Amino acid sequence: MTPLQANEIRMMEKACQLAAETLFHVSQFVKPGITTNEIDQIVYDYTLSKEAKPAPLGYHGYPKSVCTSINDCICHGVPDDTVLKNGDIINIDVTTIKDGFFGDTSRTFFVGEVSEAAKRVTDVAYGAMLEGIEQVQPGNTTGDIGFAINRYVTRKGYYAVKEIGGHGIGKSFHGDPFVPSYGKKGKGEALKAWTCLTVEPMINETPVALKEYPVANSSIMYYHTGDGSLSAQFEHTILITDSGHEVLTYWDWGD
Ligand code: MF3
Ligand code: CO
Ligand code: CO
């Protein structure tokens, strides 16, 4: 990714704030009884009301405006008639295009009362994202981010997904570099000031290999854990500054 100009950084901030607001808005509707199609419609309507576009819609043929990944779905779950039920966890992943810039953020939510196991994997996914974000500064590498994530997750007794990860973002949805959830310190790609990337570790309860499935009529795949165990994820879009970073999709649920 080429470094952004000052005015482009302001546009990125706007796109990312809108993505965060959209995620916050839709979160109020996450309750037993709602369908993922209804969540999709809420994201679509809210985004258009802000003169923006939902990036997933039509992206490589993806049919919906948001990804909704329930329980053992690792990512890219496609909204449908599935009804959320008490005890589910759901990652809602919002990507917004505003004035040509992309903001990408996601969070795992609890549907009603969830099990202790569900709380634990969600908590580890959140902590893993924060560990990764801490490494984002010029001079560091994507390997530093991945190393920090994987060390944290392993110590907690969980497993970071290796096949899928974060990405460069800005005037396009997915660009260089790939941001892995494992790695070696100092390896991978150097982080460049005034570019943006996402940190979005996906965390599983077991090391069982994931299963991938094609999204109908598109080149996007969605992923499930191999054994039906839970997976959780959080995502922020981060600007690398000359001295560190800024979380552009910042939201505050009070936790
Ligand atoms: N928002 C996802 C990410 O974090 C990408 C979704 S692509 C889609 O990179 F086509 F599945 F929507
Ligand atoms: Co992303
Ligand atoms: Co995303």
Side-chain angles (χ1 to χ4, degrees):
M1 291 264 169
T2 40
L4 298 169
Q5 309 288 320
N7 65 315
E8 296 176 313
I9 291 168
R10 281 194 295 275
M11 314 256 279
M12 251 329 255
E13 284 170 347
K14 284 203 181 123
C16 288
Q17 265 314 299
L18 184 53
E21 273 169 41
T22 305
L23 186 61
F24 190 81
H25 175 72
V26 73
S27 72
Q28 305 170 86
F29 299 90
V30 176
K31 293 198 176 84
I34 195 170
T35 67
T36 49
N37 266 340
E38 288 168 331
I39 289 172
D40 181 67
Q41 188 69 46
I42 291 164
V43 168
Y44 179 81
D45 290 342
Y46 189 83
T47 305
L48 264 63
S49 80
K50 303 290 178 181
E51 273 134 26
K53 281 191 281 192
L57 190 59
Y59 180 70
H60 296 299
Y62 188 84
K64 299 284 175 169
S65 296
V66 67
C67 297
T68 50
S69 303
I70 301 170
N71 296 337
D72 61 322
C73 182
I74 297 171
C75 70
H76 300 172
V78 182
D80 59 14
D81 291 328
T82 303
V83 179
L84 296 190
K85 56 184 196 306
N86 188 60
D88 284 343
I89 59 172
I90 179 172
N91 174 280
I92 301 181
D93 191 340
V94 170
T95 312
T96 308
I97 314 174
K98 177 76 180 161
D99 298 326
F101 289 80
F102 289 72
D104 193 4
T105 185
S106 85
R107 180 180 175 101
T108 297
F109 298 98
F110 299 149
V111 182
E113 277 299 308
V114 306
S115 66
E116 287 307 311
K119 286 181 191 163
R120 276 197 299 272
V121 68
T122 303
D123 204 58
V124 172
Y126 185 63
M129 178 189 67
L130 296 182
E131 288 284 321
I133 290 172
E134 241 179 72
Q135 295 298 319
V136 179
Q137 55 180 83
N140 276 6
T141 65
T142 53
D144 292 319
I145 299 173
F147 177 82
I149 290 171
N150 195 43
R151 181 181 54 187
Y152 174 85
V153 170
T154 304
R155 284 182 180 166
K156 297 279 184 186
Y158 288 79
Y159 302 88
V161 172
K162 292 191 168 166
E163 292 86 343
I164 329 158
H167 47 91
I169 187 167
K171 280 182 265 194
S172 66
F173 197 165
H174 294 107
D176 288 341
F178 176 66
V179 182
S181 298
Y182 69 98
K184 293 203 166 86
K185 282 186 189 173
K187 300 285 184 192
E189 294 189 49
L191 305 184
K192 261 199 277 177
W194 312 119
T195 66
C196 296
L197 50 74
T198 72
V199 177
E200 51 176 308
M202 291 153 233
I203 307 307
N204 293 357
E205 295 181 299
T206 72
V208 176
L210 54 70
K211 288 187 187 151
E212 63 172 32
Y213 305 92
V215 172
N217 304 311
S218 87
S219 56
I220 301 289
M221 308 294 286
Y222 69 94
Y223 302 86
H224 278 227
T225 62
D227 57 358
S229 59
L230 297 173
S231 185
Q233 183 190 16
F234 288 74
E235 173 177 25
H236 270 312
T237 298
I238 315 290
L239 171 70
I240 305 161
T241 66
D242 50 4
S243 59
H245 66 259
E246 236 175 84
V247 178
L248 297 184
T249 43
Y250 184 78
W251 29 245
D252 186 4
W253 267 269
D255 57 14

